[in-house]
mmCIF file with all atom_site columns, all heavy atoms in Angstrom:
data_model
loop_
_atom_site.group_PDB
_atom_site.id
_atom_site.type_symbol
_atom_site.label_atom_id
_atom_site.label_alt_id
_atom_site.label_comp_id
_atom_site.label_asym_id
_atom_site.label_entity_id
_atom_site.label_seq_id
_atom_site.pdbx_PDB_ins_code
_atom_site.Cartn_x
_atom_site.Cartn_y
_atom_site.Cartn_z
_atom_site.occupancy
_atom_site.B_iso_or_equiv
_atom_site.pdbx_formal_charge
_atom_site.auth_seq_id
_atom_site.auth_comp_id
_atom_site.auth_asym_id
_atom_site.auth_atom_id
_atom_site.pdbx_PDB_model_num
ATOM 1  N N   . LEU A 1 729 ? 94.625 79.797 102.516 1.00 97.00 ? 809 LEU A N   1
ATOM 2  C CA  . LEU A 1 729 ? 93.540 80.442 101.788 1.00 97.00 ? 809 LEU A CA  1
ATOM 3  C C   . LEU A 1 729 ? 92.455 80.905 102.742 1.00 97.00 ? 809 LEU A C   1
ATOM 4  O O   . LEU A 1 729 ? 91.806 81.916 102.533 1.00 97.00 ? 809 LEU A O   1
ATOM 5  C CB  . LEU A 1 729 ? 92.943 79.447 100.787 1.00 97.00 ? 809 LEU A CB  1
ATOM 6  C CG  . LEU A 1 729 ? 91.813 79.971 99.915  1.00 97.00 ? 809 LEU A CG  1
ATOM 7  C CD1 . LEU A 1 729 ? 92.324 81.014 98.944  1.00 97.00 ? 809 LEU A CD1 1
ATOM 8  C CD2 . LEU A 1 729 ? 91.150 78.840 99.165  1.00 97.00 ? 809 LEU A CD2 1
ATOM 9  N N   . GLY A 1 797 ? 84.910 79.333 131.370 1.00 95.00 ? 877 GLY A N   1
ATOM 10 C CA  . GLY A 1 797 ? 85.881 80.432 131.348 1.00 95.00 ? 877 GLY A CA  1
ATOM 11 C C   . GLY A 1 797 ? 87.020 80.278 130.376 1.00 95.00 ? 877 GLY A C   1
ATOM 12 O O   . GLY A 1 797 ? 87.822 81.205 130.211 1.00 95.00 ? 877 GLY A O   1
ATOM 13 N N   . VAL A 1 801 ? 83.487 85.090 123.911 1.00 98.00 ? 881 VAL A N   1
ATOM 14 C CA  . VAL A 1 801 ? 82.906 85.578 122.663 1.00 98.00 ? 881 VAL A CA  1
ATOM 15 C C   . VAL A 1 801 ? 82.957 87.107 122.735 1.00 98.00 ? 881 VAL A C   1
ATOM 16 O O   . VAL A 1 801 ? 83.206 87.670 123.797 1.00 98.00 ? 881 VAL A O   1
ATOM 17 C CB  . VAL A 1 801 ? 81.441 85.096 122.492 1.00 98.00 ? 881 VAL A CB  1
ATOM 18 C CG1 . VAL A 1 801 ? 81.375 83.575 122.497 1.00 98.00 ? 881 VAL A CG1 1
ATOM 19 C CG2 . VAL A 1 801 ? 80.542 85.685 123.577 1.00 98.00 ? 881 VAL A CG2 1
#
Side-chain angles (χ1 to χ4, degrees):
L809 181 68
V881 301

